[in-house]
Amino acid sequence: MDYPALERAARRHATAELTRHAVTELDLIASGRRALRAVRHPLGFVCLPVLRDGSDGVCVHVFGAPEAKPDESVPQVHCHSWDLTSTVLYGHLDNRRVRIDEDTKDPTHRVFEVHSDPSGVDELRPTERLVRCRPGVRQTHTRGESYALPAGEFHTSVVPDGRPTATLVLGRTLPGRVDLSLGPPSVPGHRMVRRTCDATQTARIARAALRRIHEPEP
C-alpha cells in the first residue's frame, strides 16, 4: 500500500479507488495471507492497522463488530496529533466537532495528554488546562463520502443507532503535536489498554467488512 498514492486519491475525492485499496487489504487479512491483528479501541471500534510508515499511517476502522465494544469510562471528546482523512466504506458516521473555550473559573472539562506506547497502553496525563466545551458543527457521512479533520481539532465520532460501519483512515502525524482528550476536571490521570484480537477474530472481522462493502446499502 502506497501512502502518497492514497493521499492523492483522497485529494481527488476518488472514493472508489480508496475503497478498492481497502478491499485488497481486507482480502489479504481475511484469507490469512497477511499476519495482521485487529486492535480493540476503547472508543468503540476495531482498528486494522494496514500501514505504518514513519509519520504516515492507514487503518480500517470497523464499528459494530462484536469485538468493538466501547469503554464507557473513556472520554469521547478528543483531538489527534495527526491530520486525518476518512472515507466511509459502508454505514453512516456522525462527526461532531466541539468548540473549546479557555475557562479557569467555571470549566466543564480538563485537557489530558494521551501518551501511547507500542504495548498498547495509553496513559492519560492531566494538564493544568481547564476549558468549557460547547457543541460545534455536526456532519453525517455515508458510504463513499470522505471528510478531513486537521490535527488539534476536538471532536467525537458517533455511529447512529450502532449500525455496522467501516472507514478507511489516512493519518499523517505532525511534529511536536500530542494527542489530547477531555475529561472531568477532578479526574486523575489513568491508563487505558488496547487489546489485540487473535488471528481467527481478525479474519472474521475482515470477512464481515468485505461482505458489507459488497452489499448495497439498505
Side-chain angles (χ1 to χ4, degrees):
M1 180 172 281
D2 183 351
Y3 188 91
L6 293 175
E7 189 175 45
R8 290 192 295 271
R11 289 174 179 170
R12 299 195 312 271
H13 301 286
T15 55
E17 180 179 342
L18 293 166
T19 300
R20 284 195 298 273
H21 280 286
V23 167
T24 298
E25 294 298 324
L26 288 169
D27 184 61
L28 290 171
I29 298 165
S31 64
R33 286 175 288 163
R34 183 162 183 199
L36 180 152
R37 298 292 179 264
V39 179
R40 295 180 175 94
H41 197 287
L43 289 179
F45 59 86
V46 176
C47 174
L48 297 165
V50 295
L51 175 69
R52 290 291 184 269
D53 184 14
S55 61
D56 298 334
V58 180
C59 297
V60 175
H61 289 174
V62 179
F63 300 80
E67 295 83 3
K69 300 298 183 183
D71 184 339
E72 300 298 336
S73 68
V74 172
Q76 298 296 307
V77 179
H78 60 282
C79 73
H80 304 294
S81 58
W82 36 279
D83 290 334
L84 173 153
T85 302
S86 183
T87 300
V88 181
L89 301 172
Y90 59 82
H92 296 70
L93 185 72
D94 281 357
N95 189 53
R96 303 175 183 179
R97 302 185 188 225
V98 175
R99 298 178 181 176
I100 300 296
D101 298 325
E102 306 299 324
D103 189 343
T104 57
K105 293 183 179 180
D106 191 22
T108 58
H109 293 82
R110 183 181 298 279
V111 177
F112 290 74
E113 291 187 352
V114 183
H115 295 269
S116 303
D117 65 39
S119 69
V121 175
D122 294 337
E123 183 179 355
L124 278 70
R125 303 175 186 173
T127 71
E128 297 299 318
R129 186 180 173 192
L130 296 170
V131 299
R132 177 165 287 275
C133 180
R134 295 187 292 124
V137 175
R138 173 178 172 177
Q139 297 172 308
T140 299
H141 307 279
T142 60
R143 180 196 291 259
E145 295 181 349
S146 296
Y147 67 92
L149 195 68
E153 181 147 1
F154 281 96
H155 67 284
T156 182
S157 298
V158 178
V159 175
D161 304 321
R163 69 179 64 184
T165 297
T167 59
L168 178 69
V169 180
L170 281 63
R172 172 165 287 163
T173 301
L174 301 184
R177 297 296 187 99
V178 178
D179 293 330
L180 303 173
S181 69
L182 299 185
S186 60
V187 170
H190 55 285
R191 290 184 173 186
M192 303 182 302
V193 179
R194 304 186 188 197
R195 303 197 180 278
T196 303
C197 298
D198 62 27
T200 300
Q201 292 169 324
T202 300
R204 183 172 63 243
I205 291 165
R207 285 195 297 269
L210 282 169
R211 184 175 64 252
R212 294 186 182 279
I213 289 173
H214 293 305
E215 289 176 350
E217 290 286 347

